[in-house]
Amino acid sequence: MKYPKLTIKGQAKPKGSVVPFYTKGGLRVRPSSKYTSEWMKLAKKEIKRLWKGPLITGPIELDITFLLSKPKTTTRKFATGRFDGDGDKLDRAGWDAMTGTVYVDDSQVVKWAVFKGYAEDCKPRVIIIVRDYEGA
C-alpha cells in the first residue's frame, strides 16, 4: 500500500535523556529539554492531520529526513555541530510522534534510513516516508 509523505514544518528537537521528578502520584519522568516536549506535541498534531492511511499493524520501513536551521555563524557544510542534535535521538522523537497514529508501536519499524542536514531554503522540517516492509 502507498502511504502519504508526511512533512512536519519546524525545527525538530532530539528526544534524548529524561529527568526524573516526584509528584503526589509518585515518580515521573520528562525530557531533559523543554523544547523536545513542544516539538513532540507539534509533530503529533501535524501527523494526525496529515495521515490518511490506516493504523499499520505489520512491519514497516521508514525514510526520515531532518532538515535543520543552519546557525548564521556556521560555516560547516553538514549538520555535525554539537547543538544540531544526534541523529539517533532525532530519529527517536520522530518515531515516537508517529506511535498511535501511523502504527501501533515503534517496535514495528524493522528497516529505516535517516538523513540529517541543513535546510538550504532556511525552512526547517522533517520529511517522513512510510512503507510496508516487504522483506529482504
Side-chain angles (χ1 to χ4, degrees), residues 11-63:
Q11 181 78 4
K13 298 296 179 184
K15 185 173 183 183
S17 305
V18 293
V19 176
F21 64 97
Y22 288 98
T23 67
K24 290 181 181 180
L27 183 66
R28 299 193 44 137
V29 294
R30 65 169 174 77
S32 59
S33 169
K34 68 177 183 176
Y35 303 111
T36 299
S37 295
E38 292 170 11
W39 187 81
M40 290 288 296
K41 285 177 189 172
L42 170 85
K44 283 183 180 208
K45 182 179 177 183
E46 193 64 5
I47 288 167
K48 282 182 182 179
R49 185 182 73 78
L50 295 170
W51 184 250
K52 305 297 182 216
L55 183 66
I56 302 170
T57 58
I60 61 167
E61 62 180 284
L62 298 173
D63 288 330

Side-chain angles (χ1 to χ4, degrees), residues 5-6 60-66 91 95 98 109 111-115 126-131:
K5 178 170 74 170
L6 304 171
I60 61 167
E61 62 180 284
L62 298 173
D63 288 330
I64 304 180
T65 301
F66 294 95
D91 209 18
W95 288 22
M98 291 184 278
V109 180
K111 184 177 179 184
W112 62 95
V114 180
F115 175 79
V126 180
I127 301 165
I128 304 169
I129 298 171
V130 179
R131 288 186 291 278

Side-chain angles (χ1 to χ4, degrees), residues 67-68 70 76-78 117-125:
L67 297 174
L68 309 173
K70 185 174 184 178
R76 66 184 169 275
K77 186 176 179 179
F78 299 103
Y118 290 128
E120 295 297 323
D121 59 3
C122 300
K123 295 178 182 173
R125 61 197 177 277

